[in-house]
Amino acid sequence: MQRICVIGGSRYFGKLLVRRLSAAGHRVTVLNRGSTRPPSGVEHLVADRDDEAALTAALGSRAFDVVVDQVCYTPVQAAVAARVFAGRTRRYVMTSTIEVYDPATAALPYVPPGVPVPEETVDPAGWQVAMDLPWRDAAYLEAHYAEGKRQAEAVLTRTGGFAYASVRSAHVLGGGTREFTGRLAHYTERVARGEEITVHAKALPTVFIHYEELADLLRWAATSDFTGPLNACSDGPLDVRELAAIVAAQAGREPALRTVAAGEAASPFSFDRHYAMSNARARALGFAFSRTTDWLPGAVAEALNTPPSPTT
């Protein structure tokens, strides 16, 4: 049994992570802004993680074996966490994203299409950090999401107060109404309605992970001892046409695809650039991944059975 603090943990795979940590016998504390209470038996602390004084006061004299940070988006937030949790935990795990590898958002080493992107493509130890950018501005943060994650990783990598690991998640699917990004619904609703889906002429594959598998991996990462970045994706990259075909097979009708040129806007998961991750490091450390094509039809069926939104 370990003492584990989850920052965030109020929705989607974070909520599932809290349940699974608790079911495994760990003493779990959830720290968030109070909008959603954790399940019975889980301690709940309410604080704004951006407010260092409030965060310190909420924690009091508590210490943890592990902190799992689900909602760290900027280097400023990472720096606050580094100061507050230094001496309070021996291990810190941050949930990061595949988007740190997106070549559209940073000058990154070239990886040939078809070659899965390894963790060392983005090395947080050497990544430049700019604390004076307008990270607290919501519009700026949305436009610079990938860079915010890269710089947050960099700050936590360089702190000396605890062992640090980041989990770079692939695109997360599954969960029906809990899949709050709406990206899979974009396909299921359009295919079901016979509406157009825009795709790039030379769309490149990407990688996915089921929300339950990601919760399991984060639970495993919390109680492991590896450090540094770790890619988390199911086996088997898919391109947008393969994704649309799986949706169409479940919906029982053909998708209406319209091709657009490279550089033009297209449907989610249609990429004209390559950044499909390699999960070799996680496999070598002992985590066994599923195949995307084994769980995706079920996730699509679940989404098809979810009442559609008025517009997508």
Side-chain angles (χ1 to χ4, degrees), residues 191-306:
V191 170
R193 295 169 181 167
E195 295 175 355
E196 183 178 89
I197 296 170
T198 53
V199 301
H200 291 103
K202 296 182 179 180
L204 293 170
T206 189
V207 285
F208 302 90
I209 191 167
H210 193 271
Y211 83 109
E212 291 185 1
E213 185 167 39
L214 181 54
D216 284 339
L217 186 142
L218 287 165
R219 178 171 61 88
W220 167 79
T223 55
S224 299
D225 59 4
F226 72 87
T227 58
L230 186 86
N231 293 338
C233 59
S234 300
D235 291 334
L238 296 176
D239 65 34
V240 65
R241 287 180 172 82
E242 293 169 318
L243 173 62
I246 291 172
V247 173
Q250 293 294 312
R253 62 186 303 169
E254 290 299 312
L257 303 181
R258 179 172 68 85
T259 300
V260 299
E264 291 188 31
S267 294
F269 309 131
S270 182
F271 296 109
D272 56 359
R273 55 205 186 275
H274 168 65
Y275 62 116
M277 299 188 299
S278 166
N279 63 16
R281 184 179 187 222
R283 282 191 168 281
L285 288 168
F287 191 85
F289 289 97
S290 66
R291 289 197 63 80
T292 303
T293 50
D294 288 340
W295 57 258
L296 185 54
V300 169
E302 188 177 33
L304 284 165
N305 290 324
T306 299

Side-chain angles (χ1 to χ4, degrees), residues 101-156:
Y101 299 116
D102 188 350
T105 63
L108 300 174
Y110 174 72
V111 179
V115 176
V117 178
E119 286 88 352
E120 56 266 26
T121 302
V122 174
D123 179 7
W127 200 264
Q128 185 174 357
V129 172
M131 303 291 285
D132 57 347
L133 294 174
W135 293 116
R136 294 184 185 275
D137 180 85
Y140 181 88
L141 179 56
E142 182 178 2
H144 297 83
Y145 171 75
E147 182 60 18
K149 284 289 193 181
R150 284 187 286 257
Q151 292 195 24
E153 285 193 41
V155 169
L156 289 167

Side-chain angles (χ1 to χ4, degrees), residues 83-97:
R83 290 191 294 269
V84 171
F85 285 98
R88 291 182 184 269
T89 187
R90 61 170 182 80
R91 179 169 176 79
Y92 201 100
V93 179
M94 172 188 153
T95 303
S96 191
T97 174

Side-chain angles (χ1 to χ4, degrees), residues 15 62-63 172 223 274 312:
K15 191 173 184 179
R62 292 172 180 82
V172 189
T223 55
H274 168 65
T312 302

Side-chain angles (χ1 to χ4, degrees), residues 3-26:
R3 297 163 299 169
I4 300 178
C5 177
V6 179
I7 306 176
S10 63
R11 59 179 183 169
Y12 205 28
F13 60 85
K15 191 173 184 179
L16 183 58
L17 168 65
V18 170
R19 289 200 187 103
R20 293 194 171 177
L21 286 169
S22 182
H26 299 293

